[in-house]
Amino acid sequence: MKLFRDMSPTESTHWKKGAILGFYTYMLLLFIDHMYYLYFEKNVFSSNMIFWSGLLTAFGLQWILDFREKMKR
């Protein structure tokens, strides 16, 4: 018995693109936060904000790409 259905090749590609963008979002926000901390000894972003922004970016891009693909058909 399967709990989830298999992803199509295009859905898998969309997830990979979303995961890469989410990772770069994490890296950019962490870089900005760390540089700000080095200069002002104070954080710009909270850990929660960094975590959720990267996660939402990854899933959001995947959803947008899947939605655009579905509208083409």
Side-chain angles (χ1 to χ4, degrees), residues 20-52:
I20 290 169
L21 184 63
F23 176 75
Y24 285 137
T25 301
Y26 282 136
M27 292 296 105
L28 178 64
L29 292 177
L30 285 170
F31 176 76
I32 292 169
D33 191 52
H34 188 66
M35 289 297 119
Y36 191 85
Y37 183 78
L38 288 176
Y39 287 120
F40 302 108
E41 296 182 1
K42 189 171 133 181
N43 289 336
V44 177
F45 306 119
S46 69
S47 297
N48 270 341
M49 191 283 232
I50 294 171
F51 172 76
W52 284 109

